[in-house]
Amino acid sequence: MPKTTPLDVNEILLEAHRRGVEQAIDTSIRTGVPLVVEKRGKILKLKPKYKYVKVPIKSAKTKAV
């Protein structure tokens, strides 16, 4: 049987939590809806610090003249 590194469940859970927070913030930015969180027993609405702007992507098939 090959040797395997033991997986630390706490590290896996922390990484999943970090990714979930990033996704929530990204969704908040894209939709413009404040993020609702609980901090020290109080409910807070956090407005996104960033603005989501749609930028058209130039096609690789078009040649510059």
Side-chain angles (χ1 to χ4, degrees), residues 24-25 27-36 45-48:
I25 292 170
T27 301
S28 175
I29 292 168
R30 283 188 282 121
T31 59
V33 177
L35 201 59
V36 178
K45 287 184 182 179
L46 302 176
K47 293 183 180 179

Side-chain angles (χ1 to χ4, degrees), residues 41-55:
K42 294 188 179 194
I43 303 295
L44 302 173
K45 287 184 182 179
L46 302 176
K47 293 183 180 179
K49 296 180 186 178
Y50 306 99
K51 182 170 75 172
Y52 181 76
V53 179
K54 291 184 181 180
V55 178

